[in-house]
Amino acid sequence: MREKEKIDLCCVNRVRLFHGLISRERADELLAGTEGAYLIRESQRQPGTYTLALRFGGQTLNYRLFYDGKHFVGEKRFESVHDLVTDGLITLYIETKAAEYIAKMTTNPIYQHLGYTSLLRDKITHRLNRTRSERKKVTFQQDEKISPSPLSRRTTIKDGPEKHCNYEKIHNFKVHTFRGPHWCEYCANFMWGLIAQGVRCSDCGLNVHKQCSKLVPSDCQPDLRRIKKVFSCDLTTLVKAHNTPRPMVLDMCIKEIEHRGLKSEGLYRVSGFTEHIEDVRLAFDRDGEKADISANMYPDINIIAGALKLYLRDLPISVITYDVYSKFIQAAKITDPDSRLEAVHDGLLQLPPAHYETLRYLMTHLKRVTMYEKDNYMNSENLGIVFGPTLMRPPDQNTLATLNDMRYQKLIVQLLIEHEDILF
């Protein structure tokens, strides 16, 4: 190989790396004999596109090269072609020399014995020691099927399967670049590569290989230090981080409303000042359970009611989740009252535990609101109109579908309020 060609192959981030419109064969000739050498060429098969030719294992490998502000041939994006090639060579070497080991490294994980799991176990033990009363354990198993007899359906729903609360949560893994050597907390093996060597759970901080992330149990225990805000935070994430059965916003706002606002005319229908509602949001995000929402701070109870509605509306996954949305809409379309209640009850049992408990607590509160209808003029139908779109959002966010479903959303909330004593 001529000296100029050697310089072309070794220089990084210079135009001499680009060899123009040359064939695969010519690229192979230029790279032959120099393991790890590379060049960039314009594709003859698809002019205007570019190929990274890389010498590894005695052969020339060709990859379609892309650029969108960073260079990439796969998922990882790099500031320079040199970094891309370096990371690629590391990956190729490990996958070639240790393919068998990589295939086996998840078969005997240390996850249950070391690292995050033992730390999680210690955290839970510590919390339980500080908790006076035990939380109920969640089970989705039904002791008996709901009786098909219309005459006994209502009694069976009430006395049938009970929803308890064991708040499982999947990890929120995101690709992460680690500085310095890191080892996977699932399999205990080295995490290789220059960038994006693995994934990290943004809620609890667990670090694992991407392939190991598929095997990690749904046992994420969010760290309060990683939860940046209360509003717009995933419901299960928030309650697990604070070790509460329901979000604090729900408990605190409902307590305040029941203390001084049940007779307020148009409760939940009348809007409070937007600026003051935003102040309540900021107070919760900043101070959490220490937020001051007392009458001294916010004399107008509609501000507290508005903040509660805003919290529920801003949830990334609505209280009645996207997965079961269609089941509730279909249930609302059933004409037979007993069959409709049975279908609604079946839908409730499919909600995640934190969502179920939040909905149960809210419906119990709204039922109490209707008991003061003579003063606040808010019956179950009015509350259904207010809370239907807040608690239920269609998965596709289609405007036409949302408008068509509004009457069914209202009906579902109305039924939940009127029959909260037998549905929950």
Side-chain angles (χ1 to χ4, degrees), residues 357-374:
E357 173 59 19
T358 296
L359 189 61
R360 183 199 66 78
Y361 194 78
L362 178 63
M363 291 304 113
T364 303
H365 162 66
L366 294 182
K367 184 68 173 284
R368 283 194 288 269
V369 171
T370 62
M371 294 176 182
Y372 292 84
E373 181 187 350
K374 290 183 179 180

Side-chain angles (χ1 to χ4, degrees), residues 44-55:
Q44 286 187 326
R45 296 179 180 179
Q46 294 179 294
T49 63
Y50 300 93
T51 298
L52 172 67
L54 172 64
R55 193 73 178 178

Side-chain angles (χ1 to χ4, degrees), residues 335-354:
T335 54
D336 178 66
D338 289 323
S339 298
R340 184 169 56 197
L341 277 184
E342 183 180 329
V344 171
H345 183 254
D346 288 343
L348 290 173
L349 291 179
Q350 295 179 50
L351 287 174

Side-chain angles (χ1 to χ4, degrees), residues 215-227:
L215 304 173
V216 176
S218 299
D219 61 356
C220 177
Q221 181 62 42
D223 188 336
L224 272 175
R225 292 171 297 180
R226 296 179 179 274
I227 308 300

Side-chain angles (χ1 to χ4, degrees), residues 9-20:
L9 299 177
C10 296
C11 286
V12 178
N13 279 336
R14 297 188 185 179
V15 79
R16 283 176 298 195
L17 282 172
F18 179 59
H19 281 248

Side-chain angles (χ1 to χ4, degrees), residues 24 34 42 60 127 150 174 191-192 209 321 344 349 355 372 391 396 407:
R24 288 190 171 208
T34 309
E42 186 173 358
T60 301
R127 285 183 176 184
K174 294 181 180 178
M191 302 172 75
W192 59 85
H209 290 114
T321 61
V344 171
L349 291 179
H355 290 248
Y372 292 84
L391 299 174
D396 54 8
R407 58 175 173 162

